[in-house]
Amino acid sequence: MTRTQLSGVACSIARATDLFGDAWTALIMRDVLVGIRRFDELAEDLGLSRKTLSARLARLVEEGVLTRERYQASPPREEYVATEKGRELYPVLLALMAWGDKWYAGPAGPPARIRHDTCGHLATPVVDCDGCREPLTVADTTQLPGPGGRVGPGTRLLGPLIAARGEGGSESVEPPDDAPVP
Protein backbone atom coordinates (compact mmCIF):
# COMPACT_ATOMS: atom_id res chain seq x y z
CA MET A 1 0.00 0.00 0.00
CA THR A 2 1.37 3.40 -0.99
CA ARG A 3 1.25 6.07 1.69
CA THR A 4 -0.27 9.45 0.80
CA GLN A 5 2.35 12.19 0.76
CA LEU A 6 1.44 15.19 2.92
CA SER A 7 4.35 17.49 2.05
CA GLY A 8 2.14 19.58 -0.26
CA VAL A 9 -0.60 20.21 2.30
CA ALA A 10 -0.69 23.81 3.59
CA CYS A 11 -0.40 22.70 7.21
CA SER A 12 2.76 22.48 9.28
CA ILE A 13 1.38 19.49 11.21
CA ALA A 14 0.73 17.62 7.96
CA ARG A 15 4.19 18.44 6.61
CA ALA A 16 5.90 17.32 9.81
CA THR A 17 3.75 14.19 9.95
CA ASP A 18 4.86 13.39 6.40
CA LEU A 19 8.29 12.69 7.89
CA PHE A 20 7.32 11.61 11.41
CA GLY A 21 4.01 9.84 10.78
CA ASP A 22 5.84 6.53 11.15
CA ALA A 23 6.36 5.47 14.79
CA TRP A 24 9.82 4.08 14.07
CA THR A 25 11.06 7.50 12.96
CA ALA A 26 10.09 9.10 16.28
CA LEU A 27 11.68 6.22 18.21
CA ILE A 28 14.88 6.50 16.18
CA MET A 29 15.04 10.20 17.04
CA ARG A 30 14.34 9.43 20.70
CA ASP A 31 17.29 7.04 20.77
CA VAL A 32 19.67 9.33 18.88
CA LEU A 33 18.82 12.30 21.09
CA VAL A 34 19.57 10.32 24.27
CA GLY A 35 22.84 8.93 22.92
CA ILE A 36 22.22 5.71 20.96
CA ARG A 37 23.78 6.68 17.63
CA ARG A 38 25.30 3.63 15.97
CA PHE A 39 23.35 1.56 13.47
CA ASP A 40 23.82 -1.79 15.26
CA GLU A 41 22.88 -0.26 18.62
CA LEU A 42 19.74 1.34 17.14
CA ALA A 43 18.76 -1.97 15.52
CA GLU A 44 19.32 -3.82 18.80
CA ASP A 45 17.47 -1.31 20.96
CA LEU A 46 14.47 -0.97 18.68
CA GLY A 47 14.25 -4.58 17.47
CA LEU A 48 13.74 -3.13 14.02
CA SER A 49 14.74 -4.85 10.78
CA ARG A 50 17.98 -3.56 9.28
CA LYS A 51 16.17 -2.75 6.03
CA THR A 52 13.52 -0.61 7.75
CA LEU A 53 16.09 1.09 10.01
CA SER A 54 18.33 1.84 7.03
CA ALA A 55 15.44 3.38 5.09
CA ARG A 56 14.31 5.56 8.03
CA LEU A 57 17.86 6.74 8.75
CA ALA A 58 18.44 7.56 5.08
CA ARG A 59 15.28 9.69 5.02
CA LEU A 60 16.27 11.51 8.23
CA VAL A 61 19.69 12.27 6.73
CA GLU A 62 18.10 13.35 3.42
CA GLU A 63 15.78 15.72 5.32
CA GLY A 64 18.69 17.25 7.26
CA VAL A 65 17.46 15.96 10.63
CA LEU A 66 20.48 13.69 11.14
CA THR A 67 24.01 13.63 9.78
CA ARG A 68 26.45 10.74 9.52
CA GLU A 69 29.77 11.21 11.31
CA ARG A 70 32.67 8.82 10.99
CA TYR A 71 33.88 7.47 14.34
CA GLN A 72 36.21 4.75 13.02
CA ALA A 73 38.42 4.80 9.92
CA SER A 74 39.18 1.09 9.44
CA PRO A 75 36.81 -0.50 8.86
CA PRO A 76 34.82 2.66 8.19
CA ARG A 77 32.06 3.13 10.74
CA GLU A 78 29.63 5.99 11.11
CA GLU A 79 27.19 7.13 13.74
CA TYR A 80 24.12 9.32 13.42
CA VAL A 81 24.10 12.74 15.05
CA ALA A 82 21.16 15.12 15.30
CA THR A 83 21.49 18.40 13.42
CA GLU A 84 20.02 21.62 14.81
CA LYS A 85 16.80 20.70 12.97
CA GLY A 86 16.88 17.30 14.68
CA ARG A 87 17.67 18.68 18.15
CA GLU A 88 14.69 21.01 17.85
CA LEU A 89 12.48 17.90 17.75
CA TYR A 90 13.31 17.14 21.38
CA PRO A 91 10.54 19.33 22.87
CA VAL A 92 8.06 17.72 20.47
CA LEU A 93 9.10 14.25 21.66
CA LEU A 94 8.94 15.40 25.29
CA ALA A 95 5.39 16.69 24.77
CA LEU A 96 4.40 13.37 23.21
CA MET A 97 6.08 11.56 26.11
CA ALA A 98 4.19 13.65 28.69
CA TRP A 99 0.89 12.87 26.96
CA GLY A 100 1.77 9.16 26.79
CA ASP A 101 2.79 9.20 30.48
CA LYS A 102 -0.57 10.71 31.43
CA TRP A 103 -2.77 8.43 29.35
CA TYR A 104 -0.78 5.21 28.80
CA ALA A 105 1.84 4.80 31.54
CA GLY A 106 -0.19 2.20 33.43
CA PRO A 107 -0.16 1.41 37.14
CA ALA A 108 3.65 1.10 37.34
CA GLY A 109 4.05 4.73 36.27
CA PRO A 110 6.06 6.37 33.51
CA PRO A 111 8.85 4.29 31.95
CA ALA A 112 11.29 7.26 32.05
CA ARG A 113 11.59 10.61 33.80
CA ILE A 114 13.14 13.88 32.64
CA ARG A 115 15.50 15.80 34.90
CA HIS A 116 16.07 19.47 34.06
CA ASP A 117 19.84 19.67 34.55
CA THR A 118 19.81 23.46 35.04
CA CYS A 119 17.76 23.27 38.25
CA GLY A 120 17.96 19.56 39.06
CA HIS A 121 14.19 19.05 39.25
CA LEU A 122 12.23 16.24 37.65
CA ALA A 123 10.17 17.95 34.98
CA THR A 124 6.91 17.36 33.17
CA PRO A 125 7.17 18.98 29.74
CA VAL A 126 4.56 21.60 28.85
CA VAL A 127 4.07 23.80 25.82
CA ASP A 128 3.77 27.39 26.93
CA CYS A 129 3.30 30.86 25.49
CA ASP A 130 6.61 32.55 24.72
CA GLY A 131 5.03 35.87 25.81
CA CYS A 132 3.47 35.17 29.21
CA ARG A 133 4.78 31.64 29.93
CA GLU A 134 1.28 30.26 30.63
CA PRO A 135 0.58 26.75 29.27
CA LEU A 136 -1.13 26.64 25.87
CA THR A 137 -4.31 24.55 25.72
CA VAL A 138 -7.03 24.02 23.15
CA ALA A 139 -9.41 25.96 25.43
CA ASP A 140 -7.35 29.16 25.41
CA THR A 141 -5.84 29.35 21.91
CA THR A 142 -7.16 30.20 18.45
CA GLN A 143 -5.54 29.35 15.12
CA LEU A 144 -5.39 32.40 12.88
CA PRO A 145 -4.48 32.67 9.21
CA GLY A 146 -0.79 32.60 8.35
CA PRO A 147 0.93 33.83 5.20
CA GLY A 148 1.30 30.29 3.81
CA GLY A 149 -2.32 29.24 4.34
CA ARG A 150 -4.38 28.04 1.40
CA VAL A 151 -7.32 25.82 0.61
CA GLY A 152 -6.43 22.48 -0.92
CA PRO A 153 -6.05 18.81 -0.13
CA GLY A 154 -5.89 18.48 3.64
CA THR A 155 -7.25 21.99 4.27
CA ARG A 156 -10.44 22.20 2.18
CA LEU A 157 -12.55 22.95 5.27
CA LEU A 158 -9.82 23.99 7.70
CA GLY A 159 -8.42 26.76 5.47
CA PRO A 160 -11.67 28.73 5.25
CA LEU A 161 -12.41 28.10 8.96
CA ILE A 162 -9.08 29.57 10.01
CA ALA A 163 -9.35 32.38 7.45
CA ALA A 164 -12.72 33.40 8.92
CA ARG A 165 -10.99 33.93 12.26
CA GLY A 166 -8.79 36.67 10.82
CA GLU A 167 -9.39 40.22 11.98
CA GLY A 168 -13.14 40.60 11.59
CA GLY A 169 -13.17 37.63 9.25
CA SER A 170 -11.91 39.91 6.46
CA GLU A 171 -8.77 37.90 5.60
CA SER A 172 -9.27 35.14 3.10
CA VAL A 173 -7.33 32.14 1.97
CA GLU A 174 -7.16 31.79 -1.80
CA PRO A 175 -7.73 28.30 -3.19
CA PRO A 176 -5.29 26.97 -5.77
CA ASP A 177 -6.60 27.02 -9.34
CA ASP A 178 -7.30 23.27 -9.31
CA ALA A 179 -9.05 23.10 -5.92
CA PRO A 180 -12.81 23.52 -5.58
CA VAL A 181 -13.82 25.83 -2.76
CA PRO A 182 -16.13 24.13 -0.27
Side-chain angles (χ1 to χ4, degrees), residues 24 27-28 30-32 36-57 80:
W24 291 120
L27 294 176
I28 289 166
R30 175 204 65 188
D31 279 11
V32 168
I36 301 173
R37 297 183 178 133
R38 296 179 181 175
F39 186 92
D40 289 338
E41 293 171 342
L42 288 164
E44 180 182 347
D45 187 57
L46 297 170
L48 184 57
S49 79
R50 296 176 76 78
K51 180 180 177 182
T52 301
L53 177 58
S54 182
R56 298 309 185 276
L57 287 168
Y80 294 88

Side-chain angles (χ1 to χ4, degrees), residues 52-178:
T52 301
L53 177 58
S54 182
R56 298 309 185 276
L57 287 168
R59 174 89 192 272
L60 289 165
V61 169
E62 177 185 316
E63 292 288 334
V65 176
L66 296 176
T67 60
R68 290 185 188 98
E69 291 186 7
R70 178 131 323 151
Y71 69 88
Q72 180 178 309
S74 182
R77 304 257 189 224
E78 297 176 326
E79 63 183 2
Y80 294 88
V81 178
T83 62
E84 178 183 0
K85 185 177 181 180
R87 289 187 304 272
E88 287 187 6
L89 280 168
Y90 192 62
V92 175
L93 294 175
L94 288 180
L96 188 57
M97 178 182 154
W99 183 82
D101 285 350
K102 179 175 181 176
W103 296 102
Y104 295 104
R113 297 298 310 229
I114 301 299
R115 181 186 64 227
H116 185 221
D117 293 337
T118 302
C119 70
H121 287 102
L122 290 179
T124 299
V126 295
V127 177
D128 62 11
C129 173
D130 62 346
C132 70
R133 294 308 203 209
E134 288 293 317
L136 297 174
T137 70
V138 71
D140 61 15
T141 58
T142 302
Q143 289 191 22
L144 299 172
R150 63 178 171 76
V151 175
T155 60
R156 292 194 191 283
L157 299 178
L158 183 65
L161 176 67
I162 291 174
R165 294 177 180 166
E167 295 178 7
S170 62
E171 293 185 35
S172 65
V173 175
E174 294 299 321
D177 294 334
D178 62 342

